[in-house]
Amino acid sequence: MKKVLTLVLALALLLALAGCGGGTGYKIGIPADATNGARALLLLEAQGILTMKEGVGLAATEQDIAENPYNVEIVAMEAANLPASLPDLDLAVINGNYASGAGIGDSVLVTEDAESVAAQTYGNILAVKEGRENEPAIQALLAVLMSKDVQDWIAANYNGIVMPMGAQDLTIPPISSPVTIKVGASPSPHAEILEYVKPILGQHNVTLDIVEFDDYVMPNTGVEDGSLDANYFQHQPYLDDFNAEQGTHIASVGVVHYEPMGLYPGKTDSLDFVK
């Protein structure tokens, strides 16, 4: 009788595993913040790893997973920590700026499709406190960022990890007296792009003071309290959420580039487990 019971339990376990696709047990890291987390889940769905509830779109959360055929474990964490956590994960969905900063861009397995909802939504913006959008130095910075020179430089230097939004022929307003603007940015690619812009902007009487940040909060609080004149590190949905949650008054001046979110290898170096 004991042997029969053991066989019955073993069979029940096998059937349970079969019901969830056999179970890989793979751990996949995604950003913990709502906007980037939803984007990551949609990328996993596009690869056939998960199926989300119909219609959730960019509001998707882990609770909206309808099917998990490979029994993967979703590990949500601070987006900036994902590259360093790859040795402990099988795969991770990582923002382009963090992948670029960690020097892992060439290892990406797959990225968001250029025609995806995310690609049309998550352009990275130059942002200022409301009311400062039309200041001459801010408009000069935007015009240079959107110039053909800078947009071409972005396309040539990031191998698809960072993609330009397209050149615009914007007018650089005349600035008669020297002015300095302090801009907060994440190290890569934002601060790198600003370093390229810096000498060009200097030709128009504007000195660019670049302040690097490793988080998503301080660049916005700095713009809000006036210690920064602008920032360049985030996309519009993140800013919208930040303003709503923090009561801040920060506005986009323009959309400069797009960073496809990618799926990167950790302990697993392929998507061969997806049938």
Side-chain angles (χ1 to χ4, degrees), residues 78 80 98 185-187 212-221 233 238 242:
E78 177 66 34
Y98 290 124
S186 61
E212 294 188 10
F213 293 92
D214 289 321
D215 75 287
Y216 280 1
V217 176
M218 293 181 66
N220 275 338
T221 57
F233 77 98
Y238 180 85
F242 191 94

Side-chain angles (χ1 to χ4, degrees), residues 102-126:
I104 61 172
D106 291 342
S107 69
V108 68
L109 299 175
V110 65
T111 63
E112 291 166 327
D113 187 277
E115 301 302 318
S116 67
V117 174
Q120 303 301 314
T121 305
Y122 290 104
N124 279 222
I125 61 176
L126 177 67

Side-chain angles (χ1 to χ4, degrees), residues 124-128 137-138 140-147 149-151 153-154 157-158 162 181-203 206-213 219 223 228-234 254 256-257 259:
N124 279 222
I125 61 176
L126 177 67
V128 298
I138 298 298
L141 173 57
L142 178 64
V144 173
L145 282 168
M146 300 309 300
S147 67
D149 179 4
V150 174
Q151 292 285 299
W153 185 88
I154 292 172
N157 280 272
Y158 290 101
V162 181
I181 54 173
K182 185 178 290 188
V183 180
S186 61
S188 179
H190 306 83
E192 296 166 350
I193 295 169
L194 290 175
E195 287 290 353
Y196 182 77
V197 163
K198 190 172 184 175
I200 304 171
L201 203 57
Q203 297 171 13
V206 180
T207 298
L208 187 57
D209 182 3
I210 305 164
V211 184
E212 294 188 10
F213 293 92
V223 166
L228 295 173
D229 298 296
N231 66 41
Y232 174 38
F233 77 98
Q234 66 194 319
V256 180
H257 75 262
E259 299 171 10

Side-chain angles (χ1 to χ4, degrees), residues 11-22:
L11 179 60
L13 178 60
L14 287 172
L15 289 172
L17 287 173
C20 64

Side-chain angles (χ1 to χ4, degrees), residues 28-255:
I28 302 180
I30 69 170
D33 62 280
T35 50
N36 286 307
R39 191 174 166 188
L41 291 170
L42 293 182
L43 178 58
L44 295 177
E45 181 179 43
Q47 303 312 307
I49 297 172
L50 300 173
T51 300
M52 308 304 296
K53 294 177 182 176
E54 187 174 352
V56 293
L58 295 174
T61 69
E62 291 177 56
Q63 284 66 48
D64 296 312
I65 297 174
E67 296 179 23
N68 183 1
Y70 302 101
N71 198 31
V72 299
E73 178 184 350
I74 301 299
V75 182
M77 66 178 68
E78 177 66 34
N81 295 334
L82 283 164
S85 300
L86 281 172
D88 300 316
L89 300 167
D90 290 284
L91 301 160
V93 184
I94 302 176
N95 299 72
N97 61 314
Y98 290 124
S100 175
I104 61 172
D106 291 342
S107 69
V108 68
L109 299 175
V110 65
T111 63
E112 291 166 327
D113 187 277
E115 301 302 318
S116 67
V117 174
Q120 303 301 314
T121 305
Y122 290 104
N124 279 222
I125 61 176
L126 177 67
V128 298
K129 188 160 186 181
E130 290 178 1
R132 300 194 62 182
E133 295 95 328
N134 295 318
E135 291 182 8
I138 298 298
Q139 285 298 308
L141 173 57
L142 178 64
V144 173
L145 282 168
M146 300 309 300
S147 67
K148 186 176 187 304
D149 179 4
V150 174
Q151 292 285 299
D152 286 351
W153 185 88
I154 292 172
N157 280 272
Y158 290 101
N159 300 315
I161 300 173
V162 181
M163 299 170 63
M165 294 302 292
Q168 298 179 31
D169 188 14
L170 303 179
T171 300
I172 299 177
I175 299 173
S176 56
S177 301
V179 61
T180 297
I181 54 173
K182 185 178 290 188
V183 180
S186 61
S188 179
H190 306 83
E192 296 166 350
I193 295 169
L194 290 175
E195 287 290 353
Y196 182 77
V197 163
K198 190 172 184 175
I200 304 171
L201 203 57
Q203 297 171 13
H204 299 276
N205 248 353
V206 180
T207 298
L208 187 57
D209 182 3
I210 305 164
V211 184
E212 294 188 10
F213 293 92
D214 289 321
D215 75 287
Y216 280 1
V217 176
M218 293 181 66
N220 275 338
T221 57
V223 166
E224 180 70 14
D225 66 25
S227 58
L228 295 173
D229 298 296
N231 66 41
Y232 174 38
F233 77 98
Q234 66 194 319
H235 48 60
Q236 188 68 54
Y238 180 85
L239 176 58
D240 291 342
D241 285 348
F242 191 94
N243 278 332
E245 293 170 4
Q246 304 297 325
T248 48
H249 304 83
I250 304 168
S252 170
V253 181
V255 185

